[in-house]
Amino acid sequence: MMQHVWTQLGPSIAAIMFSWTIYQNFFPRQLRGHIRRYTDKLVSYFYPYMHVIFHEYETDGWFKRSKAYLAIERYLSKNSCTQAKRLKANVVKDGQSIVLTMDDHEEITDEYKGEKVWWISSQKVANRQTISLWKEDDKRYFKLKFHRKNRELITNSYLKYVLDEGKAISVRERQRKLYTNNKGEAGGGYSYRVRRMWSGVVFEHPSTFDTLAMDPDKKQEERVNLA
């Protein structure tokens, strides 16, 4: 059966490859640009989806990861654990906590106000081996795909919701520390002295809302408000 299929497809594939070679070699670049624009317009009539790209690193920063990318990564963490086939782990809180996110070339779905969207984690691979100090050859990004009928909903409401939720998750999981000034430390260069002047320990207070001393009725009322 498969041999019969390949026998039928063989001439078609060969014709496509031949036509593509002729197009690349004999059509001027400017003419190819015009053809590409009209082709994109034609495809848009039959392809009803739009894409938004969020790059991992900011274009004008020194190895600085995009805040939007980090917020999206945190927001997608829950869905990634339940939907993605391959996950990658990022260690946070000084090695005491792990955030699981979908690996490269994975796709998960999300729903907002009854509308479905798709998140794809991708990576642009370099065409040649280079040594780059600016991460130019290791470009990861999230791609958001949605139906173009939901353009206003996504751009005006959903994206803000995702970024706010991602930031809120980061704040809840943020590790708090107590710092002490060590006045007696000296020696070394300036940066070394600054590091040695302050020492920090993880702040893990044993008190919880349940152990808080307050009127029982008021505590129950506050617990309902927090729920």
Side-chain angles (χ1 to χ4, degrees):
M1 180 64 181
M2 290 300 298
Q3 184 177 0
H4 176 72
V5 172
W6 281 111
T7 302
Q8 296 294 325
L9 290 177
S12 299
I13 296 175
I16 292 173
M17 296 298 295
F18 176 77
S19 301
W20 178 251
T21 302
I22 295 298
Y23 173 78
Q24 289 286 86
N25 293 334
F26 296 99
F27 279 70
R29 178 172 298 180
Q30 186 175 6
L31 180 58
R32 293 204 304 266
H34 288 296
I35 295 175
R36 176 65 181 273
R37 283 196 293 272
Y38 286 112
T39 302
D40 291 341
K41 289 182 180 179
L42 180 62
V43 171
S44 66
Y45 286 111
F46 301 96
Y47 185 77
Y49 297 101
M50 299 183 64
H51 299 148
V52 180
I53 304 297
F54 298 89
H55 293 283
E56 180 179 13
Y57 287 91
E58 297 180 356
T59 57
D60 56 350
W62 271 64
F63 304 101
K64 188 176 181 181
R65 300 185 76 194
S66 166
K67 293 181 180 179
Y69 184 94
L70 294 174
I72 293 170
E73 187 177 55
R74 286 300 180 90
Y75 173 80
L76 296 177
S77 179
K78 182 178 180 180
N79 283 353
S80 298
C81 292
T82 58
Q83 296 184 34
K85 296 179 180 179
R86 294 178 295 112
L87 299 170
K88 61 182 179 181
N90 294 320
V91 180
V92 296
K93 291 187 177 181
D94 294 339
Q96 297 184 13
S97 180
I98 295 178
V99 176
L100 296 176
T101 57
M102 57 179 172
D103 201 0
D104 296 333
H105 312 297
E106 283 287 314
E107 178 179 319
I108 63 174
T109 60
D110 193 21
E111 188 171 320
Y112 181 72
K113 294 186 178 180
E115 300 296 339
K116 188 176 182 180
V117 300
W118 295 262
W119 285 97
I120 303 98
S121 177
S122 298
Q123 177 184 10
K124 184 178 180 181
V125 181
N127 294 326
R128 55 191 176 87
Q129 285 294 112
T130 59
I131 299 177
S132 173
L133 297 177
W134 297 94
K135 299 283 185 179
E136 293 179 353
D137 300 324
D138 189 18
K139 295 182 178 179
R140 287 183 171 84
Y141 58 90
F142 285 123
K143 179 192 292 185
L144 171 62
K145 184 176 75 172
F146 56 93
H147 199 286
R148 61 188 176 194
K149 70 176 183 179
N150 299 320
R151 180 170 185 160
E152 290 190 5
L153 175 68
I154 300 302
T155 57
N156 296 336
S157 179
Y158 176 68
L159 288 179
K160 183 179 185 305
Y161 165 77
V162 170
L163 296 179
D164 289 345
E165 283 294 307
K167 293 175 184 177
I169 294 172
S170 298
V171 170
R172 289 197 297 268
E173 296 179 351
R174 183 173 56 194
Q175 188 180 55
R176 293 174 173 82
K177 289 186 176 183
L178 294 177
Y179 287 90
T180 303
N181 184 264
N182 305 314
K183 295 182 178 181
E185 296 289 347
Y190 173 77
S191 60
Y192 175 81
R193 290 199 305 271
V194 170
R195 289 196 301 269
R196 295 294 296 171
M197 284 176 59
W198 294 93
S199 60
V201 295
V202 178
F203 177 69
E204 295 180 342
H205 201 282
S207 295
T208 63
F209 183 77
D210 291 330
T211 61
L212 186 64
M214 63 184 301
D215 181 81
D217 294 335
K218 183 63 175 177
K219 178 181 288 189
Q220 181 60 29
E221 180 181 346
E222 291 297 329
R223 183 179 284 109
V224 171
N225 293 333
L226 293 173

